[in-house]
Amino acid sequence: MEKIYTSTRNKTIALSGKEAILKGIAEDGGLFVYDGLDTLQLPIQDMMDMSYEEMASIVLKTLLPDFSEEEVIDCVEKAYSEKFSDERITPLHTVGNTHVLELFHGPTCAFKDVGLRMLPQLMSKSLQTHKGRDVMILTATSGDTGKAALEGFLDVDNIGITVFYPDNGVSNIQRLQMVTTEGDNTCVCAIEGNFDDAQSNVKKIFQDKELAERLNACNIQLSSANSINIGRLIPQVVYYIYAYKEMVKKGDIVFGERINFCVPTGNYGNVLAGYYAKMMGLPVHKFIVASNANNVLFDFLKDGVYDRKRPFYKTISPSMDILISSNLERLLYYKSGKDAAYIADLMKQLEEKGAYKVRDDVLERVKADFCGGYCDDKACADAIREFYKETGYVMDPHTAIAYKVMKDYEQKDPTHKSVMLSTASPYKFAPAVYEAIFGHLDMDEFEYMDELQKKTGAKIPTPLKSLKEKAIRHTHQIHKDMMGAFVETTAKEMFHD
Ligand SMILES: *Cc1c(COP(=O)(O)O)cnc(C)c1O
């Protein structure tokens, strides 16, 4: 099959779609990109009459041409049918004059489900083609990826999953969702450190050749469920097109009109998928990249300097507490004119000096499609409260960041319509949301959930409500330097005992 996926850092590392999904990240630390992406066009106008599932099939077939039509249809069916609490998968609501794309109706109540319901399906098909091996998925999580990946890979044949989360770096509800996971192929481990430590060490494990050889001897290979895996990124392209279709259908825009998307951003996976849709023809004016107090992307979009040497803040939007935004590397690849040597050099500077500055022409091209904004915890809480008082709609703290940044942006550009992406159920962050609207109470998170429901009438999602009754099954806790050894032991035990 055609080797259309190449490393952002070296074009001679080239794989087919299936191979790239199985591998997760290139051996030189680069991310896999479809080199010819800018030459592809989706039939956007035809897609305006399609269901979410039909759209998903077209997107997958276009970006993963080594999957057969039957394989794609089977993956879409298994990933989405009856797995989401809303049959539209990602419904678009108009609240007052704000367009909200709700991405949190999957089994774990955050947008990560859209990608992580699909990735295991794609991986299973890829394993059928490349037979005879077991795969251990490694995942670093800032809170939401972990549970979505655990759910997605639960009891999938020949695949095991290990999730690392920063101890004290996730909300208690997020932690409980993960540590109560069942299944014999799941492992959850807290590390002393923050999300960046977890993500960097996972990337290092992928580059550890000796570890790979020892595992290979046991017929085990490692892969990733983070958004560095293209199999997770590609499914996220679909909801941008779906949102556009809904805007047209509801008469908010005419077909062809360009709109903005405002995206609460951490690792740049969500917003990059939107940019992929734009490259393939979706009429988008700007992507508004919304950050919390960890505003490294805001600074980058201003002057082209990416500098992670800065204080790390723990905020009430923990899934965005990230200073090393992995998928920016893919964007820079395209915006540099696909200059792999240049990207390899930037990433080397980031690793060695903690910072890099992009060329002016690269920054100009980035700015043509993206602009940034940020807001702190106080402004975020104010946004949750004010929007609730105005409309009765309850936003989670990540969505609220997008809301605030979008409203600020609309002052500057009132001409284009904007859609904001809502990335989590407010109940995942019930204490922060309740406190923002009604003030502090001395209660645990489940009592906060109940109170929030009583006062607002917004329904608690079943998977979160039932969490209270579940037994804790995972209690591992290790130092961040022990992650490699931990993976080796876990993988060998899981597949050979
Ligand atoms: C992961 C996450 C984000 C950030 O998404 P990226 O793809 O990492 O930019 C925002 N909000 C929530 C609720 C998340 O779980």
Side-chain angles (χ1 to χ4, degrees), residues 110-112 142 144-145 227 232 236 264-271 319-320 322 396 398 423-424 429:
F111 94 94
K112 306 293 200 290
S142 60
D144 291 325
T145 289
S227 52
R232 164 153 163 209
Q236 296 176 176
T265 300
N267 225 357
Y268 224 83
N270 195 353
V271 73
S319 303
M320 293 156 65
I322 292 178
D396 102 287
H398 304 78
T423 47
F429 308 93

Side-chain angles (χ1 to χ4, degrees), residues 33 52 174 193 219 226 255 275 277 336 350 409 456 481-482:
V33 280
Y52 192 97
Q174 289 175 318
N219 226 2
N226 283 99
F255 182 78
Y275 178 62
S336 66
L350 183 63
Y409 178 82
T456 65
D481 296 338
M482 298 305 293

